[in-house]
Amino acid sequence: MVDWLVITADCTEAGRGVRGYTLAGFLRTYFGRRAVAMQSPEEWRHAPVKAATAFVGLPSSLTPEELQRLRTDSRQVVPFDYLDQQELAWNPEQEITIRRTSDRYLKPWFERAWRHDLQMGMLPIRRYSRFTAAVVCDRCSRCLGSRPEAIHDVAFLGRPNETRMYVDGQVEMVDQRFHWIRDIKRDAPQLKFWGGLVEVYPDARERLHATYGQFDDLMHTEKKVGFAAYYRAMRSSRVALAPGGNVPWTYRHYESLYAGAVLATIDYRERDMLIPLPSEGVVHVPDGAPVLPAVHEALELSRRTPQLGEQHFAHLEQYLRFGAYSSRRPALLKRFTAQLASSPPVLQIREASRLPSP
C-alpha cells in the first residue's frame, strides 16, 4: 500500500496537468515518488494500487461499482477536477456513489457562494519552470542593487476570455478582461498602460465586435509576447491587473505579486486558492464593479507603501520557493493536507485565511 494514489481523469481531452499530473507532482515534491502512485482508470482496472488516500480525477470512466471497490481498498477517497468550470465534473451515477463515500471535493479555487453540500477544498495549480527562472533572475538582480524602474502605471496582457462567474446559484459569462481594459484605455488615457488583448480568435472577435463594436484600440501592439518580455513589463509596472480567466482563478495573481506590482484583482474576499493572497496591500474589485477606482487605489498604495512588493514576496515565500513547490516550504503542504482531515472542515480552514476588505 502507498500513502497516496492519483487516478487521472480520462474523459477529457485536456492536458496532463488537468488530468491529475499536477497533483501527483505536488505530492511527490514532499513525499517522494515511492509514496505517491499515479494510474489511469484503465491501469487501475488491470493492476489496482491500494492507497491510504486515493484521489479520483474527474471526469472519469470509472463506474459506480469501480468507485465502490476503490473505496473498499482505500481509507479515504477524494474526488477532484481541474476543469475551468463552476459545475462539478461527475455524472449523476458517479455522484450518488461518491457522495456515499466522501464528503470532500477539490478544485483549483474555492467560492463561498457554492452550494454543493460538500467540504470543498483547493488543488495545487501547475507551476512553470520559466516562471521560477524569471523570479530567480529578478531576485539576483535586486540583490546586486538593480531595482526595476516603474515606467508603467498599469499592466495586463491576455486573451479576452469570458469568465464563468457563480451568481445566485447560476453560472454567468462575464467579459471582465475586456471591460477592465476598455475602461482603462478609453476612460483613463492619462494612465501609462502596458499590454492589451492578444490572440483574439475569429469566433471571439466576431462575438465581441457584435456586442461592443470596434475594439482595435484595445489590442496589444504585438501579436505575441514572450514570457521574459511579459515579466519585465510586470516588474516595471506600479499596478498589475488580475481579472478572471475562464473561471475566477488565474496564474496572474502570483506572477504580478512576485514581480512587485500592486495587485488589482477579481474579488477574492469570498474566494480562495491553495496559495492564499496577502491579507494587506491587495485591492479587490467587487464583481460587476468598474475597475478604475481599484486602479487608483492601487496606485496610491504603490506610492504610499514602496516596500509593499518585498512584503508580498515574503508572503509568497512562506508557501513557494521562488515560485515553485518545494519540500523546504512545508506550510503549503500543511494547508493542503488540513483539507483532508476529518476535523476541522474546509470552511473553517478557509476562515483562517479569509481576506479582509482592503
Side-chain angles (χ1 to χ4, degrees), residues 215-231:
F215 60 93
D216 288 345
D217 58 316
L218 308 185
M219 300 295 295
H220 186 51
T221 53
E222 301 177 31
K223 291 185 178 181
K224 287 190 176 182
V225 178
F227 187 81
Y230 162 77
Y231 197 73

Side-chain angles (χ1 to χ4, degrees), residues 199-243:
E199 298 184 19
V200 183
Y201 299 128
D203 55 342
R205 179 177 291 277
E206 182 178 351
R207 183 186 65 81
L208 291 170
H209 188 272
T211 304
Y212 304 106
Q214 186 273 341
F215 60 93
D216 288 345
D217 58 316
L218 308 185
M219 300 295 295
H220 186 51
T221 53
E222 301 177 31
K223 291 185 178 181
K224 287 190 176 182
V225 178
F227 187 81
Y230 162 77
Y231 197 73
R232 283 196 300 270
M234 295 296 104
R235 291 177 70 241
S236 302
S237 300
R238 294 180 177 87
V239 175
L241 305 180

